[in-house]
Amino acid sequence: MTSVGGVSEGARTVTGVLGAEWVKVRSVRSFSYVLAGAAMSALLMAALAWYSASLYDGLPDGQRAGLSVTSLVSVIGLPLQICFGVFGVLVVTSEYATGTIRSSLVAVPRRWPVLAAKAAVVAAVSLAAGLAAATATFFSTRAIAGERPMGFNEVPLSEGVPELFAAAAAVAAVALAGAGLGAVSRSTAGSVIGVVVLVYVLPIVALNLPEPWSERVSAVLLPGLVGQVSGVLSGTLSHALLSPPQALAVLALYAAVPLGAAALALRCRDA
Amino acid sequence: MIEVKELSKRYGGTSAVDGLSFSVGPGRVTGFLGPNGAGKTTTMRVLLGLDAPTSGEALVDGLRYARIRRPMLRVGALLDAGALHGGRSAFDHLLCLARTNGIGARRVAEVLEQVGLAGVARKRAGGFSLGMKQRLGIAAALLGDPGVLLFDEPVNGLDPDGVRWIRELMRSLAAEGRTVLLSSHLMSEMELTADRLVVIGRGRLICDTTVRDLAARFDRGVLVRSPRAAELAEVLTGAGAAVAPDPSGGLAVTGVDVSVIGDLAARHALPIHEATPRSASLEEAYMELTAGSVEHRAHGSAR
């Protein structure tokens, strides 16, 4: 490796390819649509909180204690995962659909830096946007609920913060899975279906399995994992089967397996 | 310098390139000719590391493309001008490519200026005409100021102005000492642009020659008609020409120029009713060369 101005050639390639991928992402409209989708989801959660609050206010005193609303941070997970899953898919498949993948690979013939840079940009964007949307939801829904004890707003801040990070991590994992699926299938439609199956269809299927399989399978699917990572269970699981580090490791596999397959496909196949 | 050595590429059961060898030197435009499906694009894709060869190799400056660091500084390529994200501006399209090879934004502006797209640099490429897309593709190839340039069918779909612009650009790039390989299925275009020709068909080399040699090879002489044919034949033979009776009547004369024939006839006061030079055009020469290797031909039509 030659050294130019103290920066090695390899490091320069990495920063260059990263910069290129960032330009690619920010220079097309779909990026703003995805961010708009995340913002809309957060607004929707605020609306849900407002609706719950008005519902609470309309109830006679005796029935108010029975109103418990699930954590809206966990609810926003689904639309965010879909939004950024599709984003991850598009970052890769749009290059195949337009044919620009060939100029990208001609510019970087080692190929893997292209995939790595795409993954880094997808991870950074989805983690940041996921965290922002989840945090906005957390504070806005609490502010809207005010003093009304409605379940979700009774959780202390110290328990709420891990949930925010778990939600953002799941969004990033799905986005990376989308990117990996995109690189393996080279098809936008196919990869988006894959993301929806992962995020939405499989958890529903798991709920309908006989016990104990329903719990066991749910524990390694996305909604269950988010709860187990943060330690705040909701919905599909009654108790944690995995410790937070174990759950985080399984979540990481959601990103690592498709990306690994993508790296292999990119290396071996003609572009 | 481009070297293709015993290159073969099979896709499943079909052979796209089959034992192809040729080399392309600097300082001139080399035309890469062949009918559709001859293997031109495949050869270029292997040269650029997009496809792995089944056997043999393709080298740029003695290196396999995949081993070149910051390859845009060495090789520029236009494969498919339509390969653009329609929503991205011309400037951003080039910037994405430039960044990967450590090329700055100023160079992006420079090449946009060079290809005449500076005025639309911030416009979405999706709205570009085919000609503008070709110019953008060429700008991308020029980004790294490379010594080797590959252009796959760069004049396809261009208007006469655009064709002339590309022709002059190719010639000036070669004049600067660069290696320029230009693929086309149109001989008429090559005739005006290229110095050397590499003609392939069905993945195999048909000929590797200069434009001038190819023209000479397909020189069919001059058809001469005269009411005093026998005397004229004698005079022409005496001047070193080969004369044979032409199937259409008249004389097929080879070995002397039509002006020489006219002068000789005048000197001997022999009347001439027709003198037609019949050197096959390069287009015809090319058709003849590739006749056996055309992949898709309409049935019933004679080429």
Side-chain angles (χ1 to χ4, degrees):
Chain A
M1 289 282 151
T2 52
S3 201
V4 184
V7 186
S8 83
E9 187 81 36
R12 251 193 358 186
T13 304
V14 169
T15 53
V17 178
L18 261 179
E21 290 303 328
W22 171 240
V23 173
K24 281 181 198 171
V25 163
R26 68 152 173 74
S27 61
V28 294
R29 278 184 196 160
S30 55
F31 184 48
S32 354
Y33 295 160
V34 167
L35 294 184
M40 295 275 288
S41 308
L43 283 177
L44 189 66
M45 295 307 119
L48 275 176
W50 177 81
Y51 173 72
S52 311
S54 64
L55 211 61
Y56 180 92
D57 292 344
L59 286 175
D61 278 350
Q63 291 176 25
R64 282 181 173 174
L67 183 79
S68 175
V69 179
T70 183
S71 160
L72 290 164
V73 170
S74 79
V75 175
I76 199 180
L78 181 71
L80 287 182
Q81 286 163 19
I82 298 275
C83 273
F84 287 93
V86 171
F87 169 69
V89 167
L90 284 180
V91 162
V92 177
T93 58
S94 73
E95 290 226 28
Y96 282 100
T98 57
T100 50
I101 188 70
R102 284 189 284 279
S103 31
S104 299
L105 296 182
V106 166
V108 186
R110 277 185 301 164
R111 298 188 180 184
W112 69 262
V114 175
L115 183 66
K118 282 188 188 300
V121 169
V122 165
V125 166
S126 51
L127 203 60
L131 193 59
T135 307
T137 297
F138 183 80
F139 286 108
S140 71
T141 55
R142 278 176 170 245
I144 290 164
E147 297 301 308
R148 306 172 187 90
M150 294 197 295
F152 74 86
N153 59 339
E154 293 171 277
V155 179
L157 212 60
S158 60
E159 281 180 35
V161 171
E163 196 187 0
L164 299 181
F165 282 99
V171 171
V174 174
L176 288 172
L181 288 175
V184 171
S185 73
R186 301 180 178 186
S187 148
T188 307
S191 310
V192 168
I193 289 171
V195 166
V196 171
V197 166
L198 213 58
V199 170
Y200 191 67
V201 179
L202 286 183
I204 292 175
V205 171
L207 280 183
N208 292 296
L209 290 175
E211 287 303 341
W213 290 102
S214 174
E215 281 265 295
R216 288 180 188 168
V217 174
S218 294
V220 294
L221 293 176
L222 284 162
L225 286 174
V226 177
Q228 291 171 105
V229 168
S230 63
V232 184
L233 293 178
S234 61
T236 55
L237 281 184
S238 58
H239 64 283
L241 298 180
L242 301 173
S243 70
Q246 285 172 330
L248 195 62
V250 176
L251 193 58
L253 285 179
Y254 274 79
V257 171
L259 281 178
L264 207 65
L266 196 64
R267 184 189 164 88
C268 301
R269 282 196 300 211
D270 288 343
Chain B
M1 183 76 183
I2 296 169
E3 293 157 279
V4 174
K5 297 177 183 170
E6 289 298 320
L7 182 70
S8 293
K9 176 67 184 176
R10 301 181 69 83
Y11 295 103
T14 47
S15 175
V17 176
D18 186 5
L20 184 62
S21 297
F22 65 90
S23 63
V24 181
R28 59 192 170 200
V29 177
T30 302
F32 192 28
L33 268 162
N36 290 327
K40 304 183 295 288
T41 301
T42 301
T43 305
M44 288 194 163
R45 289 169 57 85
V46 173
L47 262 167
L48 293 169
L50 287 172
D51 286 8
T54 307
S55 67
E57 56 182 359
L59 306 177
V60 180
D61 292 343
L63 297 167
R64 274 183 48 221
Y65 187 85
R67 301 184 64 94
I68 303 174
R69 296 285 172 267
R70 299 172 77 202
M72 290 171 73
L73 306 189
R74 204 182 272 267
V75 188
L78 166 68
L79 279 185
D80 174 8
L84 293 165
H85 192 299
R88 198 170 281 140
S89 73
F91 185 87
D92 284 336
H93 172 72
L94 294 183
L95 187 61
C96 295
L97 292 169
R99 281 275 175 86
T100 60
N101 277 242
I103 298 165
R106 191 196 294 177
R107 177 64 187 159
V108 172
E110 242 173 64
V111 291
L112 281 168
E113 185 76 42
Q114 191 182 351
V115 301
L117 290 179
V120 292
R122 299 289 177 180
K123 293 267 187 336
R124 291 171 194 278
F128 282 13
S129 68
L130 186 56
M132 290 159 86
K133 287 179 182 170
Q134 293 280 19
R135 284 170 187 259
L136 185 55
I138 288 168
L142 297 176
L143 267 175
D145 196 19
V148 176
L149 287 149
L150 305 172
F151 297 100
D152 196 13
E153 312 266 0
V155 300
N156 265 8
L158 288 190
D159 60 12
D161 257 357
V163 171
R164 196 167 65 188
W165 175 75
I166 293 216
R167 191 182 296 151
E168 282 164 8
L169 179 70
M170 299 294 132
R171 299 207 67 93
S172 71
L173 289 169
E176 289 163 16
R178 297 176 215 261
T179 304
V180 182
L181 183 65
L182 176 65
S183 91
S184 176
H185 56 264
L186 298 174
M187 176 59 109
S188 50
E189 189 42 48
M190 290 298 170
E191 212 170 332
L192 296 164
T193 316
D195 312 297
R196 268 197 90 78
L197 291 175
V198 173
V199 183
I200 67 169
R202 297 201 178 210
R204 295 197 178 136
L205 187 69
I206 292 178
C207 72
D208 181 351
T209 177
T210 63
V211 172
R212 191 187 304 242
D213 285 349
L214 189 66
R217 202 166 123 192
F218 283 84
D219 185 358
R220 304 244 176 74
V222 185
L223 174 69
V224 183
R225 289 181 208 281
S226 166
R228 293 161 68 184
E231 289 162 71
L232 182 61
E234 210 168 301
V235 168
L236 292 173
T237 315
V243 181
D246 192 81
S248 66
L251 304 169
V253 183
T254 49
V256 288
D257 202 45
V258 65
S259 55
V260 175
I261 296 170
D263 290 351
L264 283 169
R267 199 173 307 150
H268 293 86
L270 294 169
I272 281 186
H273 290 179
E274 182 185 349
T276 312
R278 290 193 303 183
S279 69
S281 69
L282 280 178
E283 194 69 49
E284 288 167 309
Y286 166 63
M287 286 302 214
E288 195 158 306
L289 280 173
T290 58
S293 61
V294 177
E295 190 92 318
H296 312 284
R297 184 185 295 166
H299 287 288
S301 74
R303 342 193 236 272

